[in-house]
Amino acid sequence: MKPRERIRNIGISAHIDSGKTTLSERILFYTGRIHNIEEVRGGGKGATMDFMELEKEHGITIASAATTCQWQETQINLIDTPGHVDFTIEVERALRVLDGAVMVLCAVAGVQSQSITVDRQMKRYRVPRLAFINKMDRAGANPFRVVQAMRDKLVTACAKSDRLGLNAVLLQYPIGSEDQFQGVIDLVEMTANYYEGENGENWVKNPIPATLADEAQQAREKMLDALSFFSEPMTTMLLEGEEVPKELIWETIRQATLRLELVPVLLGSAFKNKGVQNLLDAIALYLPSPVDRDVKELVPSPNAPIVALAFKLTVESFGQLTYTRIYSGTLKPGDLVYNPRTDKRVQIGRMVRMHANKREEVKTAVAGDIVALLGVDCASGDTLCSEDMPISLEGMFVPEAVITLAISPKKQEDTDRLAKALHRFQREDPTFRVSLDPESNNTLISGMGELHLGIYVERIKREYNTEVYVGQPAVAYRETISQRASFDYRLKKQSGGSGQFAHVIGRIEPSDEPFVFENKVVGGAIPKEYIPACEKGFKEAMRSGLLEGYPVTGVKVVLEGGSYHSVDSSEFAFRSAAHQAVEQAFAHAKPVMLEPIMLVEVETPNEFVGRVQGDLSSRRGLLLGSETMQGDSVIRAEVPLEKMFGYSTALRSLTSGMATFTMEFACYRRQM
């Protein structure tokens, strides 16, 4: 059994096309997990971690994939996550259970829209990370500009300095750049690192070239100056002109990284097989082990009571495969565990360690391990624990769906197959929603974007042999209020026997939060046991607004008083009264429609900038700015989702197919 201190549970996250999967492939090769390197778009078998046929066809990662490999004395449990924002839930659930992460950035494009989202997700789960500036071999590569962009555009996760930029510190200096990129200078050991052999497998450390000695020394001094803020001994040694030992530098970087006060930055080109071994060393040196992460005072010991989190599941022909992170205790086949959500005991059957889509049987899993359980009936986000110590771990953030399609089978006999497919996908993906339109009786599917839903429609066709009709995409609007309004609603029903009586007084007002309930009832005007029923009624009223029947958001409900009847009052009566009261007040609070606004980032050759900006403006877009890099411009804008359908076709036409774009949900805003 590997000591817990020598385990690293890490994820690789980045903006789409930054080279995450290419980097994962090299990590597997250099750790000996695979013996041939395959490329994402290089034909052949395709990259190991992109094993779905749709991933190979589209050249993107759709689902996160897990694997385990060994680097020297360290076991690395690795999850490769998608870069496309439509599959952001895969990043959310991976970061929820991982101890550390590697953020990959393109040396040319730098900090992109999804880089900002990934940074926000890492911050949400307080995950220490390294940054790897990839694609150093590309024209226009500039790692110093990327590091500055990290400081300017990304916010730190350190509680003491929330308003400061990310404290990114470069630990290496490039030897050449663009097509002359040869390797990196390690500023800690002050050695020049080269990568020889057909696949860069021969990692060679030489003295620093004389032509780069002065630049490397200046870069080292900058690094030590930045690190000295986290180490008094280092500050003293620098002031006294003493040489700082590498062991002290390593420990200082590690401790500051664990406290989320520092992001070490490394350089390389995964595609050209340069810099990956240094990154593996940095993962072992600087990222946390399971014993370094505090989780609800759980002890990451094999001898403690079992506590595990089911963070992802896939439904396959043999049953459910549940990806599970063990936080405490030991798990073996045959063990009985308790699920607090269902209040049921579950027996553990087979356990496997995943290597992309391949499996290795394991007989024991202990604190810090990530394994998959076969045939366990649970939901994504469930805690599995000892019945003697029931505990529920915090769930993950699930973003709201922004786009809806109507879907129906082309053949009536395919109805059951379609229902099975939708049920399965809804279980697997919390951002994929299925509902019924009460007016048309159509089945509706909702998700994070056109690509997200398009992939599921394609999977229904391939995996369930079912052709479907797909309706026009619909926008997931919301409703809200623009001013305060009071309510004074009395429910009184008497029709022989016991009646129904409930009386609620209060107000609704605009809020920055989706829903806020405040109880200001005093003197027992409404008995305490009926207050939760009132809150439930208020929440139910938020499900459907008065304007178009869309869900209501951004409302604070204040319950100030009311009255009750000793015989006729009940939880049901107060719930109904609360529901009716909010509907009554909503009509007087000047309700307005909200529409989803998307953050759009277009990368286009400079000659098409005017056309692209004009087109975005014609779509009611708010231009946020642009920047120029090596003949290309990146344009950022906020555009209503309603105006973005079919944009990929329009953009191809405007730019002769030379521009690309990404889009992610930004906020809800009042419809103009």
Side-chain angles (χ1 to χ4, degrees):
M1 188 185 296
K2 184 72 70 175
R4 303 299 89 191
E5 293 80 3
R6 303 307 306 166
I7 290 179
R8 301 290 180 269
N9 292 314
I10 67 161
I12 298 183
S13 303
H15 185 90
I16 190 169
D17 251 1
S18 295
K20 297 178 309 303
T21 303
T22 303
L23 177 60
S24 298
E25 189 79 358
R26 269 55 180 186
I27 287 175
L28 296 180
F29 178 75
Y30 296 130
T31 57
R33 198 68 173 79
I34 59 174
H35 303 293
N36 293 299
I37 293 176
E38 298 282 354
E39 303 300 346
V40 175
R41 295 186 178 92
K45 296 179 182 177
T48 306
M49 303 297 269
D50 283 354
F51 55 85
M52 290 172 60
E53 286 302 318
L54 280 169
E55 291 179 315
K56 293 174 184 176
E57 288 174 20
H58 286 265
I60 61 171
T61 303
I62 293 170
S64 57
T67 189
T68 299
C69 53
Q70 304 282 336
W71 177 247
Q72 296 167 359
E73 297 299 315
T74 302
Q75 175 181 315
I76 299 174
N77 298 325
L78 172 69
I79 296 182
D80 177 32
T81 64
H84 200 288
V85 70
D86 281 21
F87 309 106
T88 191
I89 190 63
E90 295 286 344
V91 186
E92 286 283 346
R93 53 185 167 196
L95 291 176
R96 169 63 187 82
V97 299
L98 293 171
D99 299 321
V102 176
M103 175 190 280
V104 183
L105 298 149
C106 173
V108 181
V111 175
Q112 298 166 274
S113 58
Q114 187 67 0
S115 314
I116 297 170
T117 302
V118 166
D119 173 70
R120 195 184 308 128
Q121 291 168 321
M122 291 178 179
K123 179 182 172 187
R124 180 180 295 131
Y125 300 111
R126 299 190 63 77
V127 177
R129 93 287 291 264
L130 303 172
F132 182 72
I133 299 178
N134 193 26
K135 302 192 177 184
M136 282 293 298
D137 59 301
R138 279 188 56 192
N142 186 334
F144 309 109
R145 186 183 62 215
V146 177
V147 171
Q148 191 57 49
M150 292 174 69
R151 294 169 181 155
D152 294 341
K153 297 180 181 180
L154 305 179
V155 293
T156 182
C158 176
K160 289 183 279 188
S161 51
D162 270 341
R163 298 187 183 279
L164 298 180
L166 201 67
N167 191 9
V169 176
L170 204 52
L171 305 187
Q172 297 172 336
Y173 192 85
I175 303 174
S177 66
E178 301 182 342
D179 59 348
Q180 297 300 310
F181 178 64
Q182 299 172 46
V184 295
I185 294 171
D186 184 331
L187 299 176
V188 179
E189 296 187 333
M190 290 303 277
T191 55
N193 292 246
Y194 300 95
Y195 312 90
E196 299 173 354
E198 186 181 350
N199 295 305
E201 61 270 30
N202 300 326
W203 182 17
V204 179
K205 296 184 181 184
N206 288 338
I208 297 170
T211 52
L212 291 175
D214 289 344
E215 293 170 47
Q217 187 58 40
Q218 289 173 17
R220 176 181 166 87
E221 287 168 7
K222 276 188 184 177
M223 177 192 74
L224 292 176
D225 185 51
L227 296 177
S228 65
F229 285 98
F230 308 106
S231 170
E232 286 188 19
M234 188 183 296
T235 304
T236 304
M237 296 175 92
L238 289 172
L239 289 173
E240 294 177 358
E242 296 179 27
E243 185 65 28
V244 182
K246 61 185 180 184
E247 291 77 13
L248 177 59
I249 300 175
W250 287 335
E251 185 59 20
T252 301
I253 296 170
R254 175 174 169 76
Q255 293 305 322
T257 302
L258 297 188
R259 293 193 303 268
L260 308 175
E261 295 173 347
L262 179 72
V263 176
V265 183
L266 296 97
L267 312 173
S269 167
F271 185 65
K272 293 295 178 70
N273 310 310
K274 290 178 171 64
V276 180
Q277 294 96 323
N278 300 78
L279 177 64
L280 285 164
D281 264 2
I283 289 168
L285 279 169
Y286 308 133
L287 289 184
S289 71
V291 301
D292 295 315
R293 296 276 281 160
D294 294 328
V295 183
K296 274 197 171 184
E297 299 179 4
L298 293 177
V299 181
S301 163
N303 303 318
I306 183 70
V307 178
L309 182 71
F311 66 93
K312 173 180 173 173
L313 58 89
T314 57
V315 181
E316 302 184 357
S317 55
F318 61 82
Q320 183 171 299
L321 185 69
T322 306
Y323 290 77
T324 306
R325 162 70 193 264
I326 300 173
Y327 285 98
S328 173
T330 300
L331 200 60
K332 295 179 181 177
D335 285 354
L336 280 175
V337 292
Y338 175 67
N339 186 335
R341 183 185 63 84
T342 60
D343 194 24
K344 290 180 179 177
R345 290 192 295 171
V346 180
Q347 186 165 28
I348 302 299
R350 291 172 57 208
M351 297 193 306
V352 294
R353 200 180 300 282
M354 300 300 296
H355 175 49
N357 59 336
K358 298 183 176 66
R359 299 166 191 159
E360 298 170 357
E361 199 94 14
V362 292
K363 296 300 181 187
T364 304
V366 298
D369 282 342
I370 294 176
V371 293
L373 312 177
L374 278 72
V376 171
D377 185 20
C378 66
S380 180
D382 280 358
T383 302
L384 304 175
C385 59
S386 165
E387 204 164 2
D388 300 331
M389 194 182 83
I391 186 172
S392 263
L393 295 171
E394 183 184 355
M396 70 196 83
F397 171 78
V398 179
E400 287 290 323
V402 295
I403 181 173
T404 299
L405 297 174
I407 189 171
S408 59
K410 287 186 177 179
K411 298 177 183 174
Q412 193 61 36
E413 56 264 34
D414 288 340
T415 302
D416 286 346
R417 279 205 289 267
L418 176 60
K420 283 180 184 175
L422 296 180
H423 177 70
R424 171 193 167 186
F425 298 149
Q426 198 173 15
R427 277 179 65 85
E428 292 182 353
D429 182 352
T431 60
F432 180 77
R433 319 279 167 81
V434 181
S435 59
L436 195 67
D437 185 338
E439 293 183 8
S440 65
N441 216 30
N442 285 337
T443 299
L444 305 176
I445 57 174
S446 303
M448 302 305 297
E450 289 181 277
L451 178 62
H452 185 213
L453 297 184
I455 290 291
Y456 279 118
V457 169
E458 186 65 26
R459 288 184 66 184
I460 290 168
K461 178 180 174 182
R462 294 187 185 198
E463 296 173 27
Y464 289 86
N465 198 25
T466 299
E467 298 277 355
V468 294
Y469 292 111
V470 178
Q472 286 297 309
V475 178
Y477 292 102
R478 294 288 184 269
E479 298 183 27
T480 192
I481 57 175
S482 56
Q483 68 179 34
R484 178 187 292 198
S486 299
F487 58 81
D488 185 342
Y489 187 84
R490 189 186 302 266
L491 174 71
K492 189 174 182 180
K493 290 185 179 178
Q494 195 72 47
S495 56
S498 61
Q500 295 287 343
F501 180 89
H503 179 207
V504 290
I505 301 171
R507 67 179 189 271
I508 61 174
E509 57 190 50
S511 168
D512 292 332
E513 299 292 321
F515 174 79
V516 178
F517 170 67
E518 187 176 341
N519 176 24
K520 284 193 171 182
V521 176
V522 293
I526 298 175
K528 286 183 179 178
E529 61 265 28
Y530 295 143
I531 299 298
C534 292
E535 183 178 2
K536 195 169 185 180
F538 294 142
K539 282 183 177 176
E540 286 174 354
M542 299 293 128
R543 292 178 186 167
S544 177
L546 290 183
L547 297 176
E548 299 285 345
Y550 289 105
V552 178
T553 188
V555 175
K556 179 180 181 180
V557 183
V558 182
L559 182 61
E560 297 171 326
S563 59
Y564 72 102
H565 189 280
S566 57
V567 176
D568 292 345
S569 288
S570 64
E571 288 187 5
F572 175 78
F574 272 99
R575 190 170 121 199
S576 300
H579 190 132
Q580 300 294 329
V582 167
E583 287 193 351
Q584 178 194 77
F586 195 74
H588 300 287
K590 288 196 175 176
V592 293
M593 293 289 291
L594 298 175
E595 62 181 343
I597 303 296
M598 310 305 286
L599 177 62
V600 180
E601 192 173 275
V602 183
E603 187 171 338
T604 175
N606 289 335
E607 62 261 35
F608 301 118
V609 167
R611 288 188 203 175
V612 172
Q613 288 179 330
D615 181 67
L616 290 171
S617 296
S618 73
R619 296 170 185 268
R620 293 198 285 124
L622 173 65
L623 297 173
L624 303 177
S626 62
E627 57 184 272
T628 304
M629 301 177 300
Q630 284 294 114
D632 283 346
S633 287
V634 177
I635 302 164
R636 293 182 180 83
E638 288 183 344
V639 190
L641 174 62
E642 176 196 12
K643 298 294 183 181
M644 288 302 293
F645 294 129
Y647 182 65
S648 56
T649 304
L651 185 64
R652 276 197 299 270
S653 175
L654 282 171
T655 63
S656 304
M658 297 171 70
T660 59
F661 81 101
T662 58
M663 179 174 74
E664 64 177 296
F665 174 72
C667 62
Y668 274 97
R669 193 173 291 155
R670 187 168 176 174
Q671 192 175 29
M672 304 304 288

